[in-house]
Amino acid sequence: MAITGDFKVANVKFLNGTNTCTEFEYAMFDDYDVGDTVVVASAHHGLGIAKIASIITKEQAATKNFEREIVCK
């Protein structure tokens, strides 16, 4: 199901696993900062731990149909 509403986008890198060098776009409803460690919920893989690499607007994001979001810091 697609996430709707007013949110920013955080580009995150996972702290462990096979995708630690790749950035992924996650919806961000609360105010977090670059460098924060966060819990993220993916559409297919459950919860994960990641670090925020950058923050952009959803208009700047490559992803247009968000299904992933930051859960908490």
Side-chain angles (χ1 to χ4, degrees), residues 1-37:
M1 180 184 332
I3 297 171
T4 61
D6 188 29
F7 59 87
K8 292 181 183 174
V9 175
N11 290 307
V12 304
K13 287 186 175 182
F14 285 96
L15 298 182
N16 55 29
T18 59
N19 293 320
T20 57
C21 295
T22 304
E23 288 187 9
F24 297 90
E25 294 178 333
Y26 278 77
M28 182 178 79
F29 288 94
D30 296 319
D31 289 326
Y32 300 114
D33 295 313
V34 171
D36 284 349
T37 301

Side-chain angles (χ1 to χ4, degrees), residues 42-58:
S42 74
H44 308 289
H45 302 290
L47 299 175
I49 305 297
K51 186 168 286 219
I52 297 176
S54 63
I55 298 170
I56 59 176
T57 66
K58 64 180 171 181

